Amino acid sequence: MGALLRVRAVAAKEFWVLLRQPQLLLLLLAGPVLIMVAFALSFEVDRAKPRAVVVVEPGSEGEELFERFQDRFTVRTRFQGTVQSVEQADQMLRNDETDAAIILPPDPSESVRRGEQAVLEVRYSSINPIYGTTVPNRANGLVLDLNQALVREGIARELEDAGTAREAIEDLDRQLARVNEAAESLATPEAQAATSELDSTLAELEQTLEVLALVESGEGEEDVDRSLEQTRQAREQLAELQEAQEGGAPSVKDRIGLTELEQQVGLLQEQVSEIPFDVPPRVLANPFRLDLENLAPYEPDALGFYTPATLALLIQHIALSLASLAIVRERLSGAYELFEVSPLGLGELLVGKFLTYAGLVFGVNLAVAAVLVGTLEVQVLGGFLRLAVAMMLLTLASLAAGFLLSTLSRSQLQAIQIAMLMFIASGFFAGFLFPLDQLGQPARSFAYLLPATYGIQALQDVMIRGQWPAWTDFLGFALIFAISLAVARHLMGRKKV
Amino acid sequence: MPVIQVKRLVRDFGPDRVLKGLDLTVEEGEIFGLIGPSGAGKSTLMRVLTGYLEPTEGEVAVFDRAPTTFVSADRRRIGFMPQSFVLYGGLSVRQNLNFVAGLYGLSFLRRRRRVRETLEFVELWDARRKTAARTSGGMQRRLQLAAAIVHEPALIFVDEPTANLDPILRRKFWDEFKLLRDNGHTIFVTTQYVGEAELCDRVGLLSNGRIIAAGTPDELRRQAFDGEVIELTLAGDPGHTGTQLEALENVGHVVEVREERDGDGPVSRARLVVDDADVVLPKVFETLNGADIRSADVLNPSFDEVFFRLVRNE
Ligand SMILES: Nc1ncnc2c1ncn2[C@@H]1O[C@H](COP(=O)(O)OP(=O)(O)OP(=O)(O)O)[C@@H](O)[C@H]1O
Ligand SMILES: [Mg+2]
């Protein structure tokens, strides 16, 4: 009984304490739900299609081909239009204004005539081993589709052009029919009877002629010999016929249609010889071949790819958590009042905290990066200077955001809670789990408020692409830093009313 | 020239009016005690004086300047000891004091010297390496006081320094305040212990958002009883002593007559309120010539009583 009362007391106390912090409850419940809803609203399957430009030479066969099969290019991409030069397309790829450049050869027929597949080149720039296969996959599909369409269209055209061949085939058909007819009739029993009758008549004639030849000599002898010869030939032929008759219609057919068939075959062969026999069938069936080129300097494995993003999330989270407690803790403990009464300026307070936190976060994460490079052989293509600069900028922006968070928080628990939510939101929206460009609104706008969004891009640029972060990322860091600090400073400076 | 001058100060928290038009003057080099019950607004007044809170209405001048417009030179002349321990439990005693000395911009050498002097002054030098969280409540309070004086401010605000301390430590704190005062510091101290008013040079009684009385302890006592009090004990039966006491009305004002018995018979105890006890006392003996005066003392009423009367009179 006593235990029950005590448990009830604790439960009731917890209930009221929680209820007294409506913002905290709201954050606890609504925060994750909001993130999931924003994610569901923003994740667009259509955005999984890569953006693409097509490079064609104006007036070329390539352009004509593109216009003829345009739908096949546009259905599997977010088609952005055509450009005229490869350089222009490369520039767009480098500036991340497009995901793929499809380069059509100016004269594909020429290659085919030479017996070679025409090359459809697709350039892209991806370092993502998981989502980076979108362009290659879709490029393969495009080439397959294009080849099928070309072959199908080719057969249809051949059929139209092939009037002579069709006539020849029809001729052949007719002849065959005639041969068939004849063969059928010769093979009937009546015909066989007639033939054997003819044979016996010829046999009698032969015997008579033989007797005549023995009896008669002189002038009439030559005629008789010739007639006997003819009769024997006729009998030989008849024997063959009879033999064929016994074998049925097909054997007859053999004998009757042969000559004409031979003629027809000769004609067909002549026509077939116009087709270019030195083009291999592989080329005829697949006139296009895909040539993929990834402009990214190196395609890392999953570990290499996720290391920069993980580091970015880690930096943001540590910095944000540390800084988010900085002000609220002092305010709650009362130390803040001591600061207010002392000559310490708010700017000095912030800078002082900044120095230590920045050094700590920066040092810890640089050490983490060094361990990754040393033990897991993760690459830092851009070198440690670039890495240090990018990490420092991310640290500063995250700390500034954390200070703002700290001035807004009513309690330490609330501050921690918001920091945690920011961490989860960053996983979803900052380009960690899904590439940023697969997200629509409202997540897109939200993503640009997170330091990690710029951090992931910047660290990927440095570690995988081996280059300085984009100026847009520098701008993002600078804006978050300046605006957060200005607002935090303003909120802190406000007298308690 | 007064160090602190407050006129018609009003401070609201939302709809609640905590300070309701308050006047106050604190002179240089004195210990000014602000006495009032819990929730009277003592800490609020102190926060307005240090510039942490803005006044809702009225005029506040500290060193002839509105506290909300203090520049850092002004702030260096002020020390502040909050009501609770707000320093860092994780740091050692000396690290804490070093930090505060740094906040006031003490140079390295001066900081070293002052940290040591101050810790010795509050008797924490031996405990300087102890982590603040592991020191006792009284030590933390002394550390907090050290933090308020380490930069040698001209004006020191101390908010309930002696609350919940044992009498010996309380006495020590007041001894320290007196020492500081003798060295020329002005001390503005709040307390709930009415008895501590006696230890101040001047006292203000804060009740219900107003200063209901201000002055030296003696002045307050006089104000509470409208003068000084002589307590008389006369022997004899009540009728007789009553006549005798009536005669005293021409030298003072007789209040509170009580009839009692002691071992020898009935006695009357009476309080006579007079303007100046030293002048009046010989006249009392003169007037009561022949009466059986058992005792006649100048009463020194406890400050509890003074406070109670002043609040009741309000
Ligand atoms: N920040 C605040 N917000 C709202 N009300 C406040 C605030 N600070 C003080 N008060 C109110 O003002 C009144 C006076 O508080 P204050 O702390 O000044 O009293 P105090 O005299 O110092 O009491 P104690 O002796 O217990 O310290 C109280 O009723 C309190 O609730
Ligand atoms: Mg108080």
Side-chain angles (χ1 to χ4, degrees):
Chain A
M1 198 56 208
L4 213 66
L5 282 175
R6 288 190 291 271
V7 168
R8 195 210 70 95
V10 172
K13 176 220 113 196
E14 284 302 321
F15 178 77
W16 287 113
V17 166
L18 279 180
L19 222 61
R20 279 290 160 85
Q21 297 168 282
Q23 290 116 319
L24 185 68
L25 272 187
L26 204 71
L27 272 178
L28 233 68
L29 300 174
V33 172
L34 267 176
I35 289 178
M36 290 314 296
V37 168
F39 179 69
L41 286 179
S42 311
F43 193 79
E44 297 168 13
V45 176
D46 195 46
R47 284 188 171 269
K49 285 184 187 175
R51 297 165 296 170
V53 291
V54 173
V55 185
V56 287
E57 200 173 286
S60 67
E61 191 201 350
E63 189 184 36
E64 184 257 334
L65 200 75
F66 169 67
E67 270 157 20
R68 196 139 46 92
F69 296 109
Q70 188 160 6
D71 56 323
R72 296 193 155 75
F73 288 83
T74 52
V75 73
R76 46 174 52 86
T77 62
R78 279 182 279 151
F79 179 61
Q80 292 171 303
T82 58
V83 296
Q84 296 186 4
S85 77
V86 177
E87 289 73 37
Q88 199 183 339
D90 280 356
Q91 196 58 44
M92 289 181 77
L93 280 172
R94 248 176 262 122
N95 296 346
D96 195 29
E97 289 158 5
T98 189
D99 299 315
I102 304 168
I103 305 164
L104 275 169
D107 192 2
S109 298
E110 169 63 26
S111 311
V112 172
R113 241 175 273 126
R114 277 201 317 271
E116 290 164 11
Q117 286 176 305
V119 175
L120 184 87
E121 188 180 346
V122 173
R123 293 191 181 185
Y124 65 109
S125 178
S126 172
I127 50 169
N128 190 330
I130 284 97
Y131 284 91
T133 53
T134 320
V135 170
N137 288 345
R138 281 171 190 267
N140 270 316
L142 173 65
V143 168
L144 226 74
D145 198 2
L146 212 55
N147 281 336
Q148 265 177 21
L150 278 171
V151 169
R152 207 175 297 135
E153 198 184 57
I155 287 171
R157 203 172 41 204
E158 283 304 313
L159 284 177
E160 264 163 40
D161 293 352
T164 37
R166 195 165 60 222
E167 274 163 35
I169 289 165
E170 277 168 12
D171 246 12
L172 205 60
D173 266 356
R174 266 196 301 280
Q175 307 235 0
L176 281 172
R178 263 206 313 275
V179 171
N180 273 338
E181 233 173 85
E184 301 287 327
S185 49
L186 276 175
T188 55
E190 297 91 80
Q192 283 186 21
T195 321
S196 65
E197 217 171 294
L198 184 60
D199 190 40
S200 47
T201 314
L202 281 174
E204 276 169 39
L205 180 63
E206 191 183 351
Q207 276 173 0
T208 316
L209 284 174
E210 272 170 2
V211 173
L212 266 175
L214 286 173
V215 179
E216 207 161 310
S217 51
E219 293 152 32
E221 204 184 72
E222 254 178 65
D223 288 340
V224 174
D225 278 350
R226 204 169 48 240
S227 297
L228 188 62
E229 185 66 21
Q230 280 176 343
T231 307
R232 282 187 181 140
Q233 268 179 6
R235 273 202 76 188
E236 267 170 39
Q237 283 183 345
L238 201 61
E240 266 179 63
L241 185 60
Q242 272 178 314
E243 204 180 303
Q245 270 177 331
E246 269 147 34
S251 313
V252 181
K253 210 159 28 185
D254 264 0
R255 277 192 45 78
I256 304 177
L258 199 62
T259 340
E260 274 164 306
L261 277 174
E262 270 172 358
Q263 278 174 4
Q264 292 298 335
V265 168
L267 194 67
L268 280 174
Q269 272 175 340
E270 216 170 286
Q271 283 169 356
V272 166
S273 73
E274 279 164 28
I275 297 170
F277 265 111
D278 45 346
V279 177
R282 183 173 54 86
V283 175
L284 288 177
N286 299 297
F288 275 106
R289 167 171 75 81
L290 177 64
D291 185 6
L292 272 170
E293 196 184 336
N294 191 351
L295 297 189
Y298 114 97
E299 250 179 298
D301 56 8
L303 174 73
F305 175 71
Y306 279 109
T307 298
T310 310
L311 267 177
L313 275 196
L314 209 67
I315 292 173
Q316 178 190 279
H317 188 59
I318 299 176
L320 208 64
S321 304
L322 263 179
S324 71
L325 290 178
I327 309 296
V328 65
R329 192 177 46 206
E330 311 267 26
R331 213 202 287 280
L332 289 176
S333 80
Y336 197 69
E337 194 178 344
L338 207 66
F339 299 157
E340 284 271 288
V341 175
S342 82
L344 179 74
L346 289 176
E348 294 161 350
L349 176 67
L350 279 183
V351 171
K353 284 177 176 280
F354 235 112
L355 281 179
T356 297
Y357 292 172
L360 197 75
V361 176
F362 177 68
V364 164
N365 284 288
L366 208 59
V368 170
V371 168
L372 286 176
V373 170
T375 61
L376 295 175
E377 285 168 11
V378 169
Q379 300 224 38
V380 183
L381 236 57
F384 265 80
L385 173 69
R386 287 196 181 101
L387 181 66
V389 169
M391 283 171 114
M392 196 49 161
L393 291 177
L394 173 60
T395 305
L396 293 181
S398 304
L399 281 177
F403 282 131
L404 175 58
L405 181 61
S406 197
T407 55
L408 290 171
S409 299
R410 298 277 175 89
S411 68
Q412 301 199 28
L413 189 57
Q414 196 183 33
I416 290 282
Q417 190 66 33
I418 298 179
M420 204 58 222
L421 281 176
M422 295 270 282
F423 181 68
I424 297 170
S426 299
F428 277 110
F429 302 139
F432 183 82
L433 289 180
F434 306 95
L436 199 58
D437 42 306
Q438 290 193 12
L439 292 180
Q441 296 300 355
R444 219 30 172 355
S445 307
F446 185 63
Y448 288 122
L449 300 178
L450 297 167
T453 301
Y454 308 98
I456 289 176
Q457 286 171 3
L459 289 185
Q460 284 178 344
D461 274 344
V462 170
M463 295 179 75
I464 302 174
R465 294 199 180 87
Q467 62 196 32
W468 281 107
W471 68 270
T472 45
D473 294 332
F474 280 108
L475 185 68
F477 287 137
L479 283 179
I480 290 181
F481 180 81
I483 293 174
S484 299
L485 279 191
V487 176
R489 173 74 181 69
H490 173 75
L491 289 176
M492 283 167 71
R494 247 181 5 190
K495 289 281 163 202
K496 281 195 208 161
V497 182
Chain B
M1 192 198 68
V3 175
I4 298 173
Q5 189 132 39
V6 177
K7 284 181 186 148
R8 300 177 305 282
L9 170 63
V10 171
R11 170 69 208 199
D12 297 337
F13 286 109
D16 302 330
R17 180 149 292 190
V18 173
L19 301 179
K20 307 171 179 174
L22 178 150
D23 296 292
L24 179 77
T25 306
V26 175
E27 298 293 339
E28 191 175 344
E30 68 180 9
I31 298 178
F32 183 90
L34 185 68
I35 298 181
S38 180
K42 300 184 296 294
S43 297
T44 304
L45 172 58
M46 194 170 268
R47 286 185 175 132
V48 172
L49 294 177
T50 56
Y52 183 66
L53 288 178
E54 239 163 328
T56 308
E57 284 169 31
E59 289 167 30
V60 180
V62 175
F63 297 126
D64 261 342
R65 190 194 282 273
T68 44
T69 65
F70 275 164
V71 294
S72 86
D74 299 316
R75 297 191 184 283
R76 275 199 294 272
R77 297 171 71 188
I78 291 173
F80 172 54
M81 174 181 170
Q83 194 169 344
S84 53
F85 182 73
V86 301
L87 292 173
Y88 300 91
L91 301 186
S92 74
V93 167
R94 185 162 56 179
Q95 279 173 327
N96 268 303
L97 198 57
N98 233 324
F99 166 63
V100 177
L103 291 185
Y104 284 91
L106 267 61
S107 66
F108 177 75
L109 285 178
R110 182 161 170 236
R111 193 166 75 221
R112 257 177 68 125
R113 180 173 57 81
R114 280 301 298 162
V115 165
R116 174 161 193 153
E117 278 175 7
T118 313
L119 285 180
E120 280 170 348
F121 180 72
V122 298
E123 295 179 13
L124 281 177
W125 179 248
D126 293 336
R128 63 189 178 275
R129 293 203 180 84
K130 267 201 160 178
T131 308
R134 300 219 186 92
T135 58
S136 74
M139 287 163 98
Q140 290 182 356
R141 208 60 75 77
R142 277 184 283 156
L143 174 57
Q144 197 72 65
L145 174 66
I149 60 175
V150 67
H151 57 293
E152 298 177 285
L155 173 60
I156 306 166
F157 289 99
V158 237
D159 198 356
E160 300 199 23
T162 53
N164 296 318
L165 295 186
D166 67 85
I168 296 165
L169 195 55
R170 270 158 67 181
R171 173 60 64 175
K172 254 197 70 59
F173 262 91
W174 283 98
D175 289 345
E176 280 161 7
F177 295 152
K178 287 212 170 91
L179 267 171
L180 287 166
R181 189 246 347 248
D182 295 344
N183 286 327
H185 300 272
T186 306
I187 295 169
F188 184 102
V189 55
T190 71
T191 179
Q192 288 183 27
Y193 298 116
V194 177
E196 290 181 341
E198 207 79 64
L199 305 166
C200 302
D201 297 321
R202 286 202 321 121
V203 177
L205 288 188
L206 182 63
S207 171
N208 197 21
R210 284 192 188 84
I211 300 285
I212 56 168
T216 63
D218 274 346
E219 283 167 355
L220 286 193
R221 200 173 281 122
R222 192 182 290 271
Q223 196 179 335
F225 294 91
D226 296 320
E228 286 179 290
V229 178
I230 298 171
E231 198 165 51
L232 289 167
T233 311
L234 299 181
D237 65 81
H240 187 57
T241 53
T243 328
Q244 288 170 327
L245 286 173
E246 265 168 43
L248 281 176
E249 283 295 336
N250 56 13
V251 290
H253 180 56
V254 180
V255 291
E256 285 183 41
V257 182
R258 290 200 313 278
E259 267 108 48
E260 292 169 10
R261 294 197 70 81
D262 68 3
D264 304 336
V267 292
S268 294
R269 288 187 209 281
R271 282 182 170 184
L272 181 65
V273 177
V274 298
D275 281 339
D276 191 337
D278 296 339
V279 176
V280 172
L281 204 52
K283 287 185 186 165
V284 170
F285 284 105
E286 220 168 274
T287 313
L288 292 178
N289 202 5
D292 185 0
I293 302 175
R294 293 280 170 85
S295 69
D297 299 310
V298 178
L299 182 74
N300 202 2
S302 79
F303 233 90
D304 284 342
E305 198 175 344
V306 172
F307 185 75
F308 179 72
R309 271 172 179 273
L310 285 171
V311 172
R312 195 188 55 188
N313 292 350
E314 218 2 65

